[in-house]
Amino acid sequence: MNVTISTRAMLRSLLLVQAAAAGAIAFAAMRYGGLASPWLALGCGLAAVLLVRLLITANNFLITARFASATPAPFRIGPGAMLRLFAEEFMASMLQSSWFMAHAVARQRIHAAGTAPPVLLLHGYGCNSGYWAHLARHLDAARISHASLDLEPMLAGIDDFVPLVRRGVEALCQATGSGRVIIVAHSMGGLVARAYLREHGSARVAHVFTLGTPHHGTVLAGKGVGLNASQMQRQGGGDAPESAWLRALGASESAATRALITSLYTHHDNIVAPQTSSVLEGARNIAFGGVGHVALCRNRRVLARLMDELAKLSTP
């Protein structure tokens, strides 16, 4: 795979492949399956594509279940809640990959009368700025200035994204007149934020909020491609399960750096396994239950808590 391809272009290509597959199935259903109605045949084709997407989501849950950390009693859920969790995660994955990220353009939105530090949004692996569509609406409603970035090339190393973050931080500070920004990062984006702090320090950062970040790696990264995926790898066991890159990152951080970070994570993460990999020692850790990985930034409970935390950082 060409490392220079953008996530948006990749997602659009995948959508074309899925549309072609649905059309081929519809054609086969009419020619060989005896279906007379083209609409019914097309419905069969679309249903087949949706079934494949659903099985991919289900497979992620099955893999992470093998390496899951123990779920504390307050966060355990029953079959009904598990079904709602799966449905929300599947819907979030479909909407993000098939619409929001496929049409994404990184943007900057400035609210002159805002009282909170501006927010820089960093997406995760295989995503782009479109991931933040739901949070951006909440930030606009609260008149919080914000900007999103596309971390590309998408298969590059995590450290390769740091110059993009530095330019984003400086541009947002210049546009708002603020001396510092808040970083909100999902999944791999949280590791990018920590890599930025290692390289440039915290002078320009008021706080970092990570959502579902594999601070100690995830076993599913072994199935990913690209240098950034290998840097997020975690073995199923052993004395040193984290990648060498993650161990070096952790060793470089001071207590003051960790105190700048709040990790929001879910005990039912279907991408980060074990789920407690998102617990970062020395940082503030806020746990949720009944939420999947992609759904973290569209789930009402998570968004409400994040916005509440941002409000606490506003100036009088």
Side-chain angles (χ1 to χ4, degrees), residues 8 12 99-107 128-131 150:
R8 181 174 61 178
R12 289 182 173 183
W99 183 257
F100 294 114
M101 292 192 294
H103 297 82
V105 177
R107 70 170 193 167
N128 61 19
S129 55
Y131 177 78
D150 289 327

Side-chain angles (χ1 to χ4, degrees), residues 83-245:
L83 184 60
R84 289 192 295 272
L85 156 67
F86 181 85
E88 182 187 40
E89 180 68 6
F90 176 66
M91 182 62 68
S93 299
M94 288 294 297
L95 288 174
Q96 292 290 356
S97 61
S98 301
W99 183 257
F100 294 114
M101 292 192 294
H103 297 82
V105 177
R107 70 170 193 167
Q108 183 183 88
R109 187 69 177 269
I110 306 302
H111 295 283
T115 59
V119 173
L120 183 66
L121 303 168
L122 305 180
H123 63 77
Y125 177 81
C127 298
N128 61 19
S129 55
Y131 177 78
W132 301 107
H134 292 83
L135 177 59
R137 296 171 190 164
H138 286 72
L139 294 174
D140 282 333
R143 301 196 61 78
I144 297 176
S145 299
H146 58 278
S148 57
L149 300 176
D150 289 327
L151 301 176
E152 295 175 345
M154 65 179 183
L155 304 183
I158 292 174
D159 294 297
D160 295 327
F161 301 133
V162 171
L164 295 174
V165 177
R166 182 177 183 275
R167 290 195 292 270
V169 168
E170 295 302 322
L172 194 52
C173 285
Q174 182 176 9
T176 60
S178 175
R180 296 187 298 173
V181 305
I182 296 170
I183 296 178
V184 175
H186 177 248
S187 197
M188 181 196 72
L191 299 177
V192 176
R194 290 172 61 195
Y196 167 86
L197 291 174
R198 174 172 61 179
E199 183 71 19
H200 298 290
S202 60
R204 286 292 211 182
V205 178
H207 202 80
V208 175
F209 293 96
T210 67
L211 290 79
T213 291
H215 289 297
H216 300 288
T218 172
V219 294
L220 260 70
K223 298 185 178 299
V225 294
L227 178 56
N228 48 16
S230 66
Q231 290 171 330
M232 292 186 287
Q233 282 189 24
R234 180 185 178 97
Q235 303 301 320
D239 296 330
E242 301 176 7
S243 70
W245 187 89

Side-chain angles (χ1 to χ4, degrees), residues 186-314:
H186 177 248
S187 197
M188 181 196 72
L191 299 177
V192 176
R194 290 172 61 195
Y196 167 86
L197 291 174
R198 174 172 61 179
E199 183 71 19
H200 298 290
S202 60
R204 286 292 211 182
V205 178
H207 202 80
V208 175
F209 293 96
T210 67
L211 290 79
T213 291
H215 289 297
H216 300 288
T218 172
V219 294
L220 260 70
K223 298 185 178 299
V225 294
L227 178 56
N228 48 16
S230 66
Q231 290 171 330
M232 292 186 287
Q233 282 189 24
R234 180 185 178 97
Q235 303 301 320
D239 296 330
E242 301 176 7
S243 70
W245 187 89
L246 284 170
R247 292 196 299 272
L249 178 65
S252 72
E253 292 173 325
S254 65
T257 297
R258 291 286 179 92
L260 279 176
I261 302 172
T262 296
S263 174
L264 293 84
Y265 71 100
T266 168
H267 283 289
H268 296 97
D269 200 305
N270 55 306
I271 298 296
V272 177
Q275 288 73 20
T276 50
S277 174
S278 292
V279 175
L280 186 62
E281 297 76 7
R284 185 164 166 244
N285 297 282
I286 302 174
F288 292 87
V291 186
H293 185 79
V294 178
L296 275 167
C297 210
R298 59 176 279 131
N299 180 270
R300 292 181 179 180
R301 289 179 293 130
V302 178
L303 283 176
R305 182 60 184 270
L306 177 60
M307 293 304 299
D308 182 61
E309 295 293 329
L310 293 175
K312 293 176 183 177
L313 294 172
S314 300

